[in-house]
Each structure stands twice: as C-alpha cells, then as structure tokens.
Amino acid sequence: MKSFTDLKAWQKAHNLTLDIYKLTNDFPSTEQFGLSNQMRRAAVSACSNLAEGFGRSTAKDTNHFYIMSSGSLYELKSQALLAKDLTYVSNTEFVSLADKLNQTHKLVNGLLRHHKNSATNP
C-alpha cells in the first residue's frame, strides 16, 4: 500500500464522515455547537487517526493511532444512540448509520490485529 487512502478502513471511515456531516446538517440549530459538533469531531478523528497511524514508522505508534480511531468510533456510536433517542435521526437513519459504524469498526479491528501480529512476529 502506498497511501493511507488505500486502506479499506480509511475509505469506510471517510465515507462515514461524509455521511455524518450530511446527517447532522438536519439537526436543530441549537445543536450546532453541541451534539452535531461532537459527532463531526468524532468521525473526523476516526478517519484522521487511521491516516496518522499509517504514516508512523513503528508498529507501536501505528497501533496507538488505530486504537485512537477505534475509540472515536465507540464515541460516535454513543452519540448516534443519543441522536436517535432525541429523535434527531429516524430509526431507519440510525440503523443505516449503526451498520456503517460496525463495518468500519470491524475493518479497524482487523488492522489492529494485523499490526499486533506483525509487531510480535517480525
């Protein structure tokens, strides 16, 4: 792989981030600096940490950023539940979002497993 953009996990996280931006556009204006902002920041963080981890030179550093990406996805899952419970998103939108989050998380976890194995079996 030549670039972080070749990572399937980054591609999914990038598309998820675009979806979050579109979805939060419809949130109430009172959430502009609240939940909407938090969801956008968590999505951007998940995507950005994958890119940063890809660029690191040691497996330990790479894993650190992939773990941070995973944490941001967990944060986003919690925020998506809150958005659903506040009826900012419909059940259909939530199910779609939760599916995309789970797919992305599986790919990030796969990267973590791969890099942990690489670190212990050079």
Side-chain angles (χ1 to χ4, degrees):
M1 286 190 204
K2 295 179 181 178
S3 171
F4 64 87
T5 59
D6 295 330
L7 294 172
K8 294 284 185 205
W10 181 87
Q11 294 167 7
K12 283 279 189 188
H14 177 76
N15 287 327
L16 177 65
T17 302
L18 296 175
D19 289 342
I20 291 296
Y21 268 77
K22 290 174 191 167
L23 187 69
T24 56
N25 276 338
D26 295 330
F27 280 20
S29 60
T30 57
E31 289 296 342
Q32 181 180 3
F33 301 108
L35 186 58
S36 175
N37 185 45
Q38 286 296 111
M39 290 180 77
R40 288 176 176 198
R41 291 169 57 95
V44 168
S45 176
C47 192
S48 296
N49 278 307
L50 290 169
E52 188 162 357
F54 183 88
R56 292 298 172 144
S57 59
T58 68
K60 183 179 178 181
D61 282 346
T62 298
N63 283 340
H64 169 76
F65 284 97
Y66 290 173
I67 289 167
M68 296 297 290
S69 178
S70 178
S72 293
L73 290 169
Y74 277 118
E75 184 180 354
L76 189 52
K77 286 179 183 183
S78 176
Q79 294 159 349
L81 282 165
L82 185 57
K84 179 184 70 85
D85 292 344
L86 292 168
T87 65
Y88 295 164
V89 297
S90 68
N91 283 333
T92 304
E93 290 170 317
F94 173 77
V95 168
S96 176
L97 179 58
D99 183 55
K100 290 173 185 178
L101 277 161
N102 288 334
Q103 289 176 25
T104 305
H105 219 159
K106 285 178 184 178
L107 290 168
V108 171
N109 286 337
L111 282 173
L112 279 165
R113 278 192 305 279
H114 172 75
H115 281 277
K116 284 181 183 175
N117 288 339
S118 296
T120 57
N121 300 315

